[in-house]
Amino acid sequence: MYDYSDFDESFVRARVDQFRHQVERRISGALTEDEFKPLRLMNGLYLQLHAYMLRVAIPYGSVNPHQMRQLAMIADRWDKGYGHFTTRQNVQYNWPKLTDVPDMLDALADVQMHAIQTSGNTIRNVTADHFAGAAADEIEDPRPTAELLRQWSTDHPEFQFLPRKFKLAVTGSAADRAVTKAHDVGIRIVRNAEGEVGYQVLVGGGLGRTPIVGQVLADFLPREDLLPYVEAVVSVYNTLGRRDNKYKARIKITSLENGLDTLREKVEARFAQLKPLFSGIDQELFRHIQSTFTRPAFKTADDAPFHAAYDTDPVFRSWVDTNVDAHREADYRIVTISIKKHGQTPGDATSDQMRLIADLAERYGHDDIRISHEQNVILPHVHVADLPALYAALKPAGLGTANAGLISDIIACPGMDYCALATARAIPVAQEIATRFDELKLEHEIGPLKIKISGCINACGHHHLGHIGILGLDRAGVENYQITLGGDGGPDTVIGTRAGPGFAYDAIVPAVERLVMAYLELREDASETFLEAYRRLGDAPFKAALYPESKANAA
Amino acid sequence: MARAFTPKVVTANDLISGDVIYLATDGSWVRDLAAAHLLTDEGDANARLFEAETQPHIAVGAYLADAAAGDNGPAPTHFREDFRAKGPSNYAHGKQEAVRHV
Ligand code: SF4
């Protein structure tokens, strides 16, 4: 894992120090709220519905046990004993006091973490595949590329006041678990016909009010062209992007309004100017970064205990079948620790859970922990032989739920329980859906099904990409939930289609239940997933299940 | 045609804790909506909002929120104000643990 250089360290400390003084000046009255707000946002501090919220970056979702323990300490000392992991691989504290935030930032700096550029119209936390460095299907570990981009984008003087926020994601595998097509710039590590490794660059993806799937801007870039090229993209966007209307300010709209070809021409012209300015130091830096992402010292062990447990313990077997993925090493596995026990808030982990995860990562996981954009925790390197002991330790802590990829593995944004922008709640809808299907004991029977819930049109809960997406709205002063069907956050990325009129708060869970029951009736056999059945049949039978009255009326 | 004025309370977030606060009749800030001053006259409402805006060391983002006279004092008329007055629905945090401090 990358370690901060002296430069990184002193930069982060200086920012904390500046912020401490800014808070003092706000409290003394020397700064007005209008003056202070952009300063606090630059440091990841929002004022939400009930309290401040501090958003801490977890670059490319990678965190070590030492850092995880510090996140737990911060939760206990200055918050309410838990943290909320988000779809952007960040962690949020929902209850900090303004006067405590400088100390929290110092405590983060102690473990090489910060909240810089987790807000504002800047390049945000660079996200990556949470299986990076472990996935069996990977061309190359995307984290060194993500780290290079992180260093380049941090405090980049030209890009502190972009027209709007700017999100980058990197994947090293065709399965694209980083949803690169839903980012302002998505970077895919690919191999060309000659077998060389380089980058495909996608542009203009994004969800929100106008969901758009990213398009290919450059099909193949040699490694050394990446930074000048991405710099050219952001630079063109910085001048071309609209600043008159914040709903039209993202690069997806710039691309739409100017045309992808025009955007490409401008980027290439800018790239031609920038490329000679990159002397190659970035490549030296990249090689240095790459050298810090060493392969863990994989061990050999007798896997008999694993087979014994797998064959005799159905609960363990169910967890392995659901939450454990193949690793590039034959005897290793990637473990998804669900932080979505039925009825819990998706993405929340208590400080005790964080500390346990840190301990288990040291004991069984080569000190490596990831946060996934699906709001779960990943131990990317676990030997098969250690799975029974790992599961036995997770289960009593409420971390052993076998639901990865299933109906209760719901993405939900904070919604109107916390977020000042929300138009409806998201968390209790997720809690009730999970609880209901747990009662029905149908979750495993239903199989892979992704439900994603957003509490407003900004779509932080990725509802457009849910096989079943739910969007909470305010309709004439009451909460109303719109359903979209057929979304897919996989490599091809499909935006879901709105099913019809929305449902009241107390009608949304029954509506989802009707939908899922219809799927169970309609599927060819248990191997046909919800999404496959939807694609085969179209939306008519699903709409009929959602709106039985209108079917009766039409008949 | 101007819309008829509906009753309001002055609300904001506390500068230090971020908690939802309301302006009371005596000019103090309270954490309980029921203890807020219900303003039924538009001129009064604007005057009290102005008063709130001159206290940036206490109140952030002051605005007038719709409210109605309830049995125990002002009550919310919109669900957003209801959630602001109550706190989150997933944990007994915020106002739900702080009732005794009101
Ligand atoms: S989708 Fe809306 S409600 Fe949810 S976190 Fe984003 S801005 Fe807030």
Side-chain angles (χ1 to χ4, degrees):
Chain A
M1 193 163 170
Y2 177 77
D3 262 323
Y4 269 19
S5 64
D6 293 347
F7 174 80
D8 296 315
E9 164 79 19
S10 62
F11 170 71
V12 170
R13 293 286 177 193
R15 279 289 289 266
V16 175
D17 202 45
Q18 280 172 3
F19 188 60
R20 189 179 294 280
H21 290 109
Q22 289 159 355
V23 169
E24 281 164 10
R25 295 208 296 281
R26 173 67 182 90
I27 291 169
S28 76
L31 288 175
T32 65
E33 183 61 20
D34 285 349
E35 288 163 335
F36 179 64
K37 187 175 172 184
L39 301 173
R40 69 168 156 76
L41 288 176
M42 282 170 76
N43 292 286
L45 188 65
Y46 289 72
L47 182 53
Q48 293 286 33
L49 217 49
H50 314 292
Y52 287 94
M53 179 271 279
L54 181 66
R55 180 181 292 155
V56 177
I58 300 178
Y60 35 93
S62 268
V63 50
N64 66 35
H66 181 52
Q67 292 171 322
M68 192 63 129
R69 283 193 195 98
Q70 189 79 340
L71 293 177
M73 187 282 283
I74 291 170
D76 283 339
R77 179 146 174 212
W78 292 295
D79 209 85
K80 294 197 188 292
Y82 77 101
H84 174 72
F85 293 101
T86 78
T87 53
R88 295 223 71 253
Q89 300 180 317
N90 295 307
V91 58
Q92 296 181 173
Y93 292 106
N94 284 330
W95 300 97
K97 275 204 191 66
L98 179 60
T99 38
D100 289 338
V101 174
D103 291 341
M104 294 169 82
L105 293 175
D106 253 331
L108 288 166
D110 289 344
V111 294
Q112 308 193 344
M113 295 183 82
H114 61 75
I116 295 166
Q117 288 179 213
T118 60
S119 175
N121 294 332
T122 56
I123 298 176
R124 300 288 188 89
N125 186 31
V126 180
T127 55
D129 181 359
H130 42 272
F131 287 179
D137 58 353
E138 188 170 85
I139 294 175
E140 180 182 282
D141 187 341
R143 288 173 303 162
T145 297
E147 173 60 27
L148 182 72
L149 289 161
R150 183 195 73 80
Q151 295 194 17
W152 160 83
S153 63
T154 299
D155 215 31
H156 193 302
E158 192 182 333
F159 303 142
Q160 292 305 302
F161 296 96
L162 294 170
R164 199 80 177 84
K165 57 189 165 186
F166 203 89
K167 299 177 182 175
L168 300 173
V170 191
T171 180
S173 111
D176 191 7
R177 286 165 291 261
V179 211
T180 55
K181 280 194 173 175
H183 285 78
D184 295 286
V185 164
I187 293 162
R188 292 178 167 183
I189 298 173
V190 290
R191 228 183 265 285
N192 67 7
E194 286 74 49
E196 294 157 342
V197 174
Y199 301 104
Q200 184 186 58
V201 178
L202 305 157
V203 74
L207 302 174
R209 186 172 297 249
T210 317
I212 294 180
V213 174
Q215 291 177 287
V216 175
L217 192 64
D219 204 37
F220 185 86
L221 290 179
R223 173 142 8 241
E224 61 276 13
D225 286 356
L226 182 71
L227 272 197
Y229 194 86
V230 175
E231 180 153 326
V233 175
V234 186
S235 172
V236 167
Y237 164 64
N238 202 12
T239 47
L240 203 60
R242 286 178 58 171
R243 291 171 190 266
D244 61 321
N245 178 342
K246 80 174 202 175
Y247 298 115
K248 298 193 188 302
R250 296 288 285 268
I251 196 172
K252 61 188 175 188
I253 307 292
T254 317
S255 174
L256 217 57
E257 288 184 345
N258 295 273
L260 184 65
D261 292 335
T262 307
L263 185 64
R264 187 181 290 115
E265 272 167 39
K266 287 181 187 290
V267 166
E268 278 166 13
R270 182 75 181 134
F271 173 75
Q273 293 170 332
L274 288 171
K275 173 70 183 164
L277 306 177
F278 280 73
S279 60
I281 289 177
D282 60 312
Q283 288 310 294
E284 271 171 46
L285 179 63
F286 179 75
R287 281 187 290 275
H288 166 69
I289 293 169
Q290 222 174 12
S291 73
T292 66
F293 286 89
T294 46
R295 277 162 49 94
F298 292 118
K299 66 175 187 182
T300 50
D302 178 10
D303 57 9
F306 166 75
H307 293 294
Y310 189 85
D311 293 343
T312 55
D313 179 353
V315 181
F316 172 67
R317 182 161 63 236
S318 162
W319 178 75
V320 170
D321 291 346
T322 312
N323 288 41
V324 175
D325 281 273
H327 192 280
R328 60 195 315 161
E329 297 289 316
D331 290 340
Y332 269 76
R333 297 291 180 272
I334 303 169
V335 172
T336 297
I337 299 175
S338 168
I339 43 175
K340 300 182 192 169
K341 187 173 172 221
H342 302 108
Q344 297 293 310
T345 303
D348 281 6
T350 66
S351 54
D352 285 342
Q353 290 177 326
M354 292 187 218
R355 277 184 287 267
L356 179 69
I357 290 167
D359 292 348
L360 295 173
E362 281 174 347
R363 208 172 313 150
Y364 305 118
H366 295 273
D367 295 349
D368 203 344
I369 304 166
R370 309 289 170 74
I371 305 305
S372 76
H373 77 268
E374 296 190 306
Q375 300 179 285
N376 284 314
V377 178
I378 313 292
L379 297 186
H381 311 291
V382 180
H383 195 283
V384 149
D386 292 327
L387 289 172
L390 174 64
Y391 178 66
L394 289 171
K395 199 168 172 241
L399 294 170
T401 311
N403 65 348
L406 301 183
I407 194 167
S408 65
D409 185 9
I410 299 171
I411 290 186
C413 79
M416 206 182 272
D417 287 302
Y418 297 92
C419 178
L421 301 173
T423 44
R425 287 171 296 171
I427 290 169
V429 176
Q431 290 174 306
E432 285 170 32
I433 292 172
T435 306
R436 178 64 186 144
F437 283 90
D438 190 39
E439 281 165 8
L440 293 171
K441 294 288 163 231
L442 277 177
E443 176 155 58
H444 290 266
E445 169 74 21
I446 295 161
L449 176 52
K450 291 188 195 285
I451 297 185
K452 303 184 196 253
I453 311 175
S454 303
C456 83
I457 194 75
N458 288 332
C460 304
H462 297 181
H463 64 276
H464 301 108
L465 303 182
H467 303 163
I468 300 174
I470 300 174
L471 166 62
L473 294 170
D474 174 350
R475 282 278 179 266
V478 285
E479 287 170 295
N480 187 275
Y481 294 87
Q482 256 179 25
I483 290 186
T484 52
L485 295 171
D488 180 10
D492 296 328
T493 309
V494 178
I495 306 289
T497 314
R498 209 184 123 189
F503 295 87
Y505 179 79
D506 55 7
I508 182 65
V509 180
V512 170
E513 188 173 329
R514 288 199 299 281
L515 200 53
V516 174
M517 292 306 167
Y519 151 69
L520 290 176
E521 286 289 313
L522 291 162
R523 69 183 179 185
E524 284 187 318
D525 57 50
S527 72
E528 188 180 47
T529 65
F530 178 90
L531 189 61
E532 287 161 357
Y534 175 83
R535 285 179 179 163
R536 177 172 60 85
L537 295 163
D539 57 9
F542 296 97
K543 280 190 185 175
L546 278 175
Y547 306 103
E549 322 79 34
S550 62
K551 190 179 136 205
N553 293 345
Chain B
M1 203 182 85
R3 276 203 300 164
F5 181 77
T6 51
K8 305 272 190 288
V9 292
V10 176
T11 183
N13 290 85
D14 177 77
L15 174 65
I16 305 298
S17 70
D19 196 5
V20 174
I21 52 176
Y22 305 94
L23 197 61
T25 317
D26 65 1
S28 66
W29 289 96
V30 292
R31 283 163 203 267
D32 180 5
L33 171 56
H37 183 190
L38 188 69
L39 300 149
T40 50
D41 175 86
E42 189 166 7
D44 284 352
N46 289 331
R48 297 230 76 183
L49 177 60
F50 180 73
E51 183 187 330
E53 284 167 346
T54 58
Q55 301 178 51
H57 56 293
I58 301 175
V60 183
Y63 66 96
L64 293 169
D66 279 317
D71 293 343
N72 305 312
T77 59
H78 186 279
F79 64 89
R80 187 174 194 271
E81 290 305 326
D82 191 19
F83 296 141
R84 285 183 79 242
K86 276 202 235 140
S89 51
N90 60 336
Y91 302 113
H93 283 161
K95 293 204 185 296
Q96 293 154 56
E97 61 186 344
V99 243
R100 62 186 184 280
H101 302 308
V102 170

